[in-house]
Amino acid sequence: MLEIVYQDEHLIAINKPHGLLVHRSKIANDATEFALQLLRDQIGQQVSPVHRLDRKTSGLLLFAFEKEVEIAMHKQFMEGEVSKKYLAILRGYAPDQLDIDYPLAKENGTMQDAFTSFVTLQRAEIDVAFGKHATSRYSLVEATPKTGRMHQLRKHFAHIFHPIIGDRTHGCNKQNRFFKEQFAMTTMLLHASQLAFAHPVTGQQIELKAGVHPEFKRMMELMKLAFEN
């Protein structure tokens, strides 16, 4: 059963688990379960996603019941009117706070502006040697993307040399292998924790929060991170 975080007659939001695709995709033929179909079966109604999350990213995923609401929410997301916050665990000790202004390329090579702000909530040091270092260091951060480019957070954190743990495409292969071998962790430590937007029908300000899933929480406990979102 999917965790439903919010529901009214126009919108419904779930806390998507790690590893679950939003919908069917040609690039993931191995998948047999999808958030869209699971939610439709669970509530017995047709819904449409109004934004996307990567397969390995957990957290808030918003759906609309009606086409007009879907279009209105798409517009809010595209025009940057939706406030989004993510939690991530990064390699190394990240700066206390940073604004990342680093353009990203579209699939056709066209460059797009991309902006991300983040604050470091806590830092952790594990008494496990890694490479030349006697210990392993990590940071729990809260990121606020100002734009919505594909893989923006993953690319931006890799750009500042603090990649997200478990990011196979843009991250650190040695760290990912380390977490898989040492802790049997195969997910990505990125979680969509908050969404805030104006309800497209009522105009009411909606603020949603979703707690981290067990695998993210297990890594936090292992690192002695006590943040509660």
Side-chain angles (χ1 to χ4, degrees):
M1 297 287 285
L2 295 168
E3 178 191 351
I4 295 174
V5 177
Y6 175 86
Q7 183 175 358
D8 63 26
E9 59 184 307
H10 306 288
L11 295 167
I12 184 169
I14 66 167
N15 187 358
K16 185 185 84 68
H18 297 278
L20 183 64
L21 280 170
V22 175
H23 52 67
R24 295 183 187 277
S25 171
K26 293 180 181 179
I27 61 174
N29 293 324
D30 63 311
T32 58
E33 290 188 320
F34 312 91
L36 180 59
Q37 283 73 26
L38 288 175
L39 183 58
R40 285 175 177 175
D41 292 344
Q42 183 171 323
I43 65 174
Q45 289 180 260
Q46 293 292 313
V47 293
S48 299
V50 300
H51 65 125
R52 302 288 186 266
L53 287 179
D54 292 341
R55 182 177 187 175
K56 281 193 169 186
T57 304
S58 64
L60 286 165
L61 185 60
L62 189 63
F63 298 82
F65 289 113
E66 304 131 340
K67 190 65 180 178
E68 295 79 6
V69 175
E70 177 189 353
I71 292 170
M73 284 307 309
H74 271 309
K75 186 171 183 288
Q76 284 198 48
F77 273 96
M78 290 184 64
E79 295 182 357
E81 296 173 353
V82 178
S83 173
K84 299 171 286 185
K85 291 186 183 297
Y86 290 76
L87 294 175
I89 295 181
L90 313 181
R91 180 189 71 184
Y93 281 178
D96 290 344
Q97 60 183 51
L98 189 66
D99 295 325
I100 305 172
D101 179 357
Y102 180 67
L104 298 173
K106 296 174 65 174
E107 290 183 1
N108 63 7
T110 305
M111 299 303 293
Q112 294 179 302
D113 290 339
F115 304 92
T116 300
S117 298
F118 76 88
V119 295
T120 297
L121 301 174
Q122 289 189 53
R123 297 183 178 90
E125 189 170 21
I126 301 177
D127 192 21
V128 177
F130 184 81
K132 298 178 181 178
H133 305 283
T135 61
S136 303
R137 293 180 171 184
Y138 304 97
S139 299
L140 174 67
V141 303
E142 183 178 71
T144 305
K146 306 297 185 184
T147 50
R149 311 309 182 198
M150 181 176 288
H151 294 180
Q152 176 172 319
L153 294 180
R154 298 165 65 178
K155 291 177 179 178
H156 272 180
F157 284 125
H159 172 66
I160 64 167
F161 305 106
H162 292 289
I164 298 170
I165 299 301
D167 183 353
R168 292 182 182 176
T169 307
H170 308 286
C172 173
N173 291 332
K174 290 182 179 179
Q175 282 285 349
N176 296 342
R177 186 165 56 249
F178 171 68
F179 270 76
K180 184 176 181 179
E181 293 173 353
Q182 291 285 328
F183 312 120
M185 193 211 76
T186 58
T187 190
M188 179 170 63
L189 298 179
L190 179 62
H191 175 75
S193 58
Q194 296 183 46
L195 280 178
F197 56 92
H199 195 289
V201 178
T202 67
Q204 179 185 359
Q205 187 68 16
I206 304 295
E207 296 183 2
L208 307 179
K209 293 186 178 183
V212 297
H213 286 271
E215 192 69 344
F216 200 118
K217 188 175 181 180
R218 181 170 74 93
M219 291 301 105
M220 289 177 62
E221 290 172 348
L222 185 146
M223 297 180 184
K224 296 181 172 57
L225 295 167
F227 174 76
E228 292 290 340
N229 69 312

